[in-house]
Amino acid sequence: MTVEAHKETLGFQTEIKQLLDLMIHSLYSNKEIFLRELISNASDAADKLRFEALSDDALYESETDLKIWIRFDPQARIITIEDNGIGMSREEVIENIGIIAKSGTQQFFKSLTGDQAKDSRLIGQFGVGFYSSFIVADKVSLETRRAGLTKEHGVRWESQGDGAYDIETIEREKRGTTVTLHLREGEDELLADYRLSSIIKKYSDHITFPIIMPKTKTDEETKETTVENEVINSAQALWAKSKNEITDEEYKEFYQHVAHDFDEPLTHIHNKVEGTLEYTTLLYIPSRAPFDLWDRNKQHGVKLYVRRVFIMDDNDKLLPPYLRFMRGVIDSNDLPLNVSREILQHNKQLDSIRSGAVKKVLSALKYLAENEAEKYATFWKEFGRVFKEGIIEDHANRDQIAKLLRFSSTYDDNSVSQISLDDYVKRMKEGQEKIYYITAESFTAAKNSPHLEIFRKKGVEVLLLTEQIDEWVTMHFHEFEGKSLQSVTKGELNLGSLEDEAEKKATEQASDKLKPLLEKIQAVLGDKVKEVRVTHRLTNSPACLVADSQAMDASLERLLKVMGQNAGTGSKPILEINPDHPIITTLQNEQNKARFADWSHILFDQSLLSEGAHLEDPATFVNRMNQLFVAMATPPSLIITP
Ligand code: ADP
């Protein structure tokens, strides 16, 4: 088959141009990282080749020593980074280099503020890899051939970072990839042996393949020059060293390599497990959430090695989805080298490694929570919402996970806070049996909810749950240390022994007395409500809505949402009224039927509003309000009753 060496010029995804400009600007002060990024890619390419060759030896093309070469030419003002790894086909080049194959790209661009300093912080979160070469180069060319393809299938990609790139098919004998950087004006200082070696040592010492710099030596006497290949890095897997031989700096650099992150990690967890199953884990908690954190299917964070050979990095077999923010490596001594991804799907050893790794992560989090409050707060802010999924997903570790959860609460509702369930339990009132919570769409809606009135009056703390995931968490999480969790918006208020006998009695009496009124309101509201009843949970508000305790697990919030979309079907809320409120007294005395109906509807609608729900017919609500205002402002003699 002949391959046309057709050359085409393609446009980058528009965002890439924008990204490049931002990156060059933001990362310039740290420009050396371009080399780390390109070496990381070369090392990943070698890893991939080694793995694919496990099942197809021919891919080695009789060259099994995998290496990375760094060369420079002061006259031509270029630096090249070459590997004999997996290489890329034409399609792969377009796919990998021409577009940013990351979910969340759009979101990233939306989050940019235009303020250089702020935006620079964001760039690390995005991870720019290959494109970092444009920090120092004004033209980058990449030549590559995928292992296993014939030499006619080489590809040359070239771009000046100006919004377009050229791609053409070339002949390339060597498998793997060569990246050539044509340096920008003023970057000549990089064209020096010692400079490049020291950058490599600093950022890439731990790369497991030799990084070679050919060095020209001149014999003093004969003036003959020879080229010697000098290996710059120690080429030792960092995780295989013992902890006390590794500096913080090395841990950090290795993190930046595995995670493709410019930031420092929050913490690392390094363990060697020995016994029937032997493996090493070196895992990191990043200090910032990546943009694709929400994508549960996207798991490229932890790499599996078997006796230092890279096997895979995209399998949720390594850590469960709720820990998908973790980065690092797991290296097993026992798994067979020729494992396929399919075998790994059902591998008992891998299951044990996974549960071991989860335990290590949980105890590291516990340690942080107890000893490094600030770091834990950062962890929670960045990853808490994802971590909460663990309550639903990971039954075996639920108790431990529950202790690591953090919430806002009425204990301090001046700002979003981070209260643990242990804190809550310690502060429980004498006689309080349950852990109370409210779910709402926002922190402000939660803390101002009428449902909290009685709790505030009695000084009973209520957790304020305001994230979407909380809905699901509360459906699965009913008990903490023997105390049940109780929604304050569901069922009849039952404060157990916190209840005041006199209050109870007063409510009963009011219920009897107001029975006719309750029935009249119910008649007006019809099937909007299941029931209208008296409550003593309110002190300031005239009425509120609660979910039926029989309603299938539905929280009030969800119930009302469903009502809004699908009025009149399914469970209905209960309207509870405050017998001591002046509006209720007014209503009792209201003789005008039409006005009574208006009051009843307003009570219902305003209760909906204070739950953050949408009114089905807001205009009518406003009309009714206005009519009542007019009535209040007009002398009784002038009111014309319809
Ligand atoms: P990342 O490495 O974070 O995925 P990059 O922009 O650095 O992002 O690289 C994009 C992709 O291009 C890589 O995931 C890889 O598939 C491919 N790639 C880059 N460099 C090489 C290389 N030297 N050999 C083979 N593939 C490469």
Side-chain angles (χ1 to χ4, degrees), residues 37-46 48 81-89 92-93 95-102 126-132 142-145 176-179 257-261 313:
E37 295 301 308
L38 295 177
I39 290 174
S40 264
N41 283 349
S43 156
D44 289 349
K48 280 183 203 154
I81 295 91
E82 180 173 319
D83 65 71
N84 58 355
I86 191 73
M88 284 179 273
S89 66
E92 286 172 321
V93 172
E95 175 88 352
N96 296 334
I97 310 285
I99 59 170
I100 304 183
K102 290 186 169 100
F126 194 69
V128 283
F130 176 79
Y131 300 105
S132 63
L142 172 147
E143 295 191 0
T144 186
R145 175 173 67 74
T177 303
T178 309
V179 177
H257 161 68
V258 281
H260 291 263
D261 188 356
D313 67 354

Side-chain angles (χ1 to χ4, degrees), residues 535-582:
T535 185
H536 63 280
R537 78 171 90 221
L538 300 171
T539 57
N540 302 324
S541 307
C544 69
L545 290 167
V546 297
D548 188 354
S549 60
Q550 305 302 317
M552 276 255 303
D553 262 334
S555 78
L556 180 62
E557 200 195 347
R558 206 143 20 92
L559 190 70
L560 298 179
K561 245 187 230 156
V562 175
M563 273 187 54
Q565 294 155 358
N566 197 357
T569 58
S571 315
K572 294 180 202 107
I574 293 164
L575 181 71
E576 290 194 343
I577 60 171
N578 174 359
D580 303 324
H581 198 280

